[in-house]
Amino acid sequence: MNDPQSIEFTVFIGTRRLASGPLDQVALAAKKAVDRGAQQPVLIYNDSTGRAIDIDSRGSDAEILARLSRPAPTSLPRGRGRPRLGVVAREVTLLPRHWQWLGSQPGGASVAIRKLVETARRANQEADQHRQRQEAAYHFMSAMAGNLANFEEASRALFANDRERFSELVRGWPADVRDHAAKLAFG
């Protein structure tokens, strides 16, 4: 889900949506808008998080694309675990009876915890995706519509999963902001 190639991005000039799609296409559209002298802020949003992102738009299109294709530097310090496999050791605090139960499981505590996490991920996948959509919509709405009429009430409707009320409350918002918030929230 963190792969920039599989995530959609959307660029806005003020409250007008300019383009949506892969980061490379959206970044170039944003650069062209800036180069043409856009009079309003040009902001790129990650549609999976609803948060604005910064890109370095200096230079030619090829230079921008080259910077975007470079992997982001790893911010996790190398330490315990098996970093080459993506395994990172972190602290888990449990009661003694939990450690006792985990220690008695086949494969030990690590295997048992991984199985529990995978089972929970599968069982809660739909609810997790719904929550992530709500949070993305809220982050976007806060940035683009935080000062607009009915923002607080629309936020309540968003988290209450009341699509009708949400639509009613955002009706007076700029069309592109309203439509994008609804797309992030409800698909």
Side-chain angles (χ1 to χ4, degrees), residues 75-77 79-81 86-93 99 110 113:
S75 61
L76 293 174
R80 296 170 47 185
V87 177
V88 178
R90 295 206 177 136
E91 182 179 337
V92 175
T93 305
W99 285 115
S110 291
I113 289 173

Side-chain angles (χ1 to χ4, degrees), residues 118-151:
E118 287 302 321
T119 300
R121 284 183 67 214
R122 280 191 294 275
N124 298 310
Q125 186 173 10
E126 189 174 317
D128 289 344
Q129 289 172 347
H130 177 72
R131 178 184 44 78
Q132 289 168 351
R133 283 192 310 269
Q134 285 178 326
E135 289 174 2
Y138 179 75
H139 291 302
F140 172 77
M141 288 169 47
S142 294
M144 293 294 287
N147 292 328
L148 297 179
N150 299 324
F151 168 75

Side-chain angles (χ1 to χ4, degrees), residues 16-78:
R16 187 174 55 87
R17 186 180 71 81
L18 178 63
S20 288
L23 182 56
D24 56 350
Q25 293 174 12
V26 170
L28 293 179
K31 181 185 183 332
K32 286 177 187 164
V34 170
D35 289 348
R36 280 182 266 163
Q39 297 298 310
Q40 296 178 312
V42 177
L43 299 170
I44 299 175
Y45 289 91
N46 177 328
D47 289 351
S48 68
T49 66
R51 295 184 188 273
I53 64 162
D54 289 328
I55 61 162
D56 184 353
S57 61
R58 295 174 295 159
S60 68
D61 290 357
E63 291 170 327
I64 293 169
L65 294 176
R67 281 192 297 272
L68 291 176
S69 66
R70 275 189 239 136
T74 305
S75 61
L76 293 174
R78 290 191 62 119

